[in-house]
Amino acid sequence: MKRKKGREKEGSQGVARWAIAVLLIALGVILLLADFGAKGIATEALFSFAYGIFGVASYLLPIILIAGGVMVILKRSFVEPLPAAGGGIIILPFLAILGIISERHDIGGDLPPGGALGSFIGGLTSDFFGVAGALVLLLALILLGLIIATDIVALMNRVMGLAKDAGEAMGSVKLPSLPEKEAKEKEEE
């Protein structure tokens, strides 16, 4: 009897997982079509909604949704948690900078390039730190996100190792001497 309940539970979870995956992929494809100008009341409304909230980051949303759907199907992640967090740390300050710029220069009209999220975060940071302070803080957060996403320490260790190997290889290379230099050396002897 226990086996049957286990199969039923596994089967219902499998169906729910596949249903979520199909919905994520379908929503991602619909948003992708909306990004490329597919005309329709729903696609235009969906794109306007996504752009209104996320601004230019809404162009990444279809890729994220499709990848999320595939990850649900495969039961695994393509991205490690730390680089994904670094990517998120990069996107939010970037939207906030766009929010500050669009607010100060009246760019974007009804739909600012940073979206409502960027305008909110940008407005909040510029209220607390002033525009210059907010820009410094947000740029520092973008650099922090890059450091986290790329694991800069490991990358720099690798680059330094390659530079050391290249230096050792260059040190063992003997260049031919020039005829004039050889003549001067003979004269000195």
Side-chain angles (χ1 to χ4, degrees):
M1 201 56 132
K2 283 186 176 180
R3 267 192 135 174
K4 189 174 182 182
K5 284 186 180 182
R7 280 190 208 149
E8 286 178 14
K9 185 178 177 185
E10 185 180 307
S12 64
Q13 286 179 349
V15 169
R17 185 172 45 93
W18 276 90
I20 289 170
V22 167
L23 287 175
L24 284 172
I25 292 170
L27 185 60
V29 169
I30 289 170
L31 270 173
L32 188 66
L33 292 172
D35 285 350
F36 288 110
K39 299 296 180 199
I41 296 170
T43 54
E44 286 182 11
L46 193 59
F47 177 74
S48 293
F49 176 75
Y51 194 88
I53 293 177
F54 300 111
V56 294
S58 65
Y59 291 105
L60 296 174
L61 203 53
I63 297 166
I64 293 169
L65 288 171
I66 292 169
V70 172
M71 286 189 286
V72 168
I73 290 171
L74 297 177
K75 294 184 184 178
R76 62 177 292 229
S77 176
F78 300 125
V79 181
E80 295 294 323
L82 201 57
I89 292 172
I90 292 168
I91 290 172
L92 287 176
F94 177 71
L95 292 177
I97 289 172
L98 289 176
I100 290 171
I101 292 170
S102 65
E103 182 180 305
R104 303 226 355 120
H105 298 287
D106 198 27
I107 299 170
D110 294 339
L111 298 174
L117 186 62
S119 294
F120 174 74
I121 295 171
L124 198 62
T125 54
S126 64
D127 287 346
F128 279 115
F129 300 103
V131 173
L135 290 174
V136 168
L137 176 67
L138 293 169
L139 287 172
L141 286 173
I142 289 173
L143 287 174
L144 177 69
L146 282 171
I147 289 168
I148 292 171
T150 60
D151 192 8
I152 195 79
V153 174
L155 184 63
M156 288 306 294
N157 287 338
R158 179 78 174 152
V159 168
M160 295 302 285
L162 290 173
K164 182 181 174 187
D165 293 345
E168 289 173 0
M170 291 298 292
S172 65
V173 173
K174 183 168 173 137
L175 297 174
S177 54
L178 298 173
E180 295 172 5
K181 188 175 180 182
E182 286 179 10
K184 282 185 183 180
E185 288 176 359
K186 287 182 183 179
E187 285 178 13
E188 290 175 4
E189 291 176 4

